[in-house]
Amino acid sequence: MCQHAYMPVITVAATKGGVGKTTLAYELAAALGGVLVDLDWDSGGATRMWGYDPTSFKRAPLLDAVEAGPAVLPRPRRRRNQPDLIPSHPDLAASDIPDLVIGDCLSSWAKQWDRPVIADTHPGANALTDGAMQVADLVVVPVILAAREMDALAGMLNDFAGYRLLLVPNMVPPSPPRRYVERLAELAGDKPVAPPISEHRWMRRRVRRSALTLQPNPGRQVQRVAGELRTLARVVEEHCV
Ligand SMILES: Nc1ncnc2c1ncn2[C@@H]1O[C@H](COP(=O)(O)OP(=O)(O)OP(=O)(O)O)[C@@H](O)[C@H]1O
Ligand SMILES: [Mg+2]
């Protein structure tokens, strides 16, 4: 659990899709004992990963809570070996929630829950991601060491120069391509770069719904990635202070 006077809002965001936002948000929420708030209305968000089908529910807990105002606390869904979740809903796509409103809600919920809030986001610019980034104590940015992804990162670093960003090299192959490692160091400038998360190909085929960092009897494969993710969680905590 975070050792803060107040609980941080940690937003996981990237301009590019498929870079590992949801996986990192889900695992960070689990490792930090936080509440995962899914702001991605698409199926690429944390809600599906968690195993909650929002289309089978009429009500959207996140929308209801935002409409009620920051003082009203939504109740996180709970399941063993998974982070507590405020699920998303397809209706969020057309919701027109202003950035300031979602930002106020996230900050207020972190205080009232007295737990870190970890927000998963839809890729690219939109009001929900903007709001979650504006109030974040730290924006965690997964970075793939490849040409297009690095170009997207360059644009993001330019647009969000004043933000507290932590760059996380993600899905890093056993022999990382040197030119992209160097380009990342150049682009990062004074922004911190976290220790990398390796590429674990089996993760793409995974069907089991549980956080890697919360598995009670992990095998060797899981231990390896869980170790990397726990290290990342410690680095995230250090940068939230
Ligand atoms: N370290 C890793 N090694 C290998 N595969 C990974 C790793 N991290 C995530 N993945 C896989 O990469 C794919 C994309 O990850 P994820 O859904 O977290 O990305 P995303 O940025 O949230 O995508 P979207 O933009 O669609 O929301 C998933 O299949 C996931 O299992
Ligand atoms: Mg996602």
Side-chain angles (χ1 to χ4, degrees), residues 137-217:
D137 296 274
L138 190 68
V139 179
V140 172
V141 185
V143 177
I144 304 285
L145 298 174
R148 275 199 229 146
E149 283 80 357
M150 300 293 276
D151 289 344
L153 175 67
M156 188 176 183
L157 286 166
N158 198 36
D159 294 346
F160 298 98
Y163 285 63
R164 292 187 66 176
L165 306 181
L166 175 69
L167 309 183
V168 183
N170 196 23
M171 306 188 211
V172 176
S175 311
R178 221 173 86 191
R179 65 185 156 144
Y180 295 128
V181 174
E182 287 169 1
R183 180 147 187 234
L184 175 59
E186 251 169 55
L187 287 177
D190 60 357
K191 303 284 185 212
V193 177
I197 307 290
S198 310
E199 183 176 36
H200 302 275
R201 285 170 188 261
W202 56 269
M203 277 170 66
R204 287 188 185 272
R205 301 185 299 273
R206 225 173 131 235
V207 283
R208 186 162 162 205
R209 290 195 174 105
S210 61
L212 294 160
T213 50
L214 295 181
Q215 287 195 15
N217 296 306

Side-chain angles (χ1 to χ4, degrees), residues 40-240:
D40 188 354
W41 52 88
D42 261 354
S43 54
T47 299
R48 297 281 181 160
M49 181 178 273
W50 200 85
Y52 180 102
D53 178 5
T55 56
S56 56
F57 294 85
K58 273 214 190 97
R59 298 181 69 83
L62 184 62
L63 278 175
D64 291 350
V66 171
E67 273 163 24
V72 176
L73 257 188
R75 194 173 47 84
R77 267 60 180 166
R78 297 189 164 195
R79 267 192 201 157
R80 251 157 73 98
N81 302 335
Q82 297 220 68
D84 289 359
L85 173 78
I86 301 297
S88 185
H89 195 279
D91 288 356
L92 271 183
S95 62
D96 285 337
I97 300 170
D99 51 356
L100 293 178
V101 169
I102 194 71
D104 276 355
C105 285
L106 295 176
S107 305
S108 164
W109 297 344
K111 276 197 202 95
Q112 293 183 70
W113 280 321
D114 199 23
R115 297 171 69 185
V117 161
I118 294 85
D120 185 23
T121 59
H122 189 75
N126 62 81
L128 296 177
T129 303
D130 288 351
M133 286 181 70
Q134 285 157 17
V135 298
D137 296 274
L138 190 68
V139 179
V140 172
V141 185
V143 177
I144 304 285
L145 298 174
R148 275 199 229 146
E149 283 80 357
M150 300 293 276
D151 289 344
L153 175 67
M156 188 176 183
L157 286 166
N158 198 36
D159 294 346
F160 298 98
Y163 285 63
R164 292 187 66 176
L165 306 181
L166 175 69
L167 309 183
V168 183
N170 196 23
M171 306 188 211
V172 176
S175 311
R178 221 173 86 191
R179 65 185 156 144
Y180 295 128
V181 174
E182 287 169 1
R183 180 147 187 234
L184 175 59
E186 251 169 55
L187 287 177
D190 60 357
K191 303 284 185 212
V193 177
I197 307 290
S198 310
E199 183 176 36
H200 302 275
R201 285 170 188 261
W202 56 269
M203 277 170 66
R204 287 188 185 272
R205 301 185 299 273
R206 225 173 131 235
V207 283
R208 186 162 162 205
R209 290 195 174 105
S210 61
L212 294 160
T213 50
L214 295 181
Q215 287 195 15
N217 296 306
R220 281 248 299 277
Q221 253 184 349
V222 172
Q223 277 178 33
R224 245 192 87 211
V225 65
E228 293 179 345
L229 291 163
R230 279 197 204 97
T231 301
L232 175 63
R234 277 204 303 277
V235 172
V236 165
E237 278 188 313
E238 284 162 20
H239 282 89
C240 283

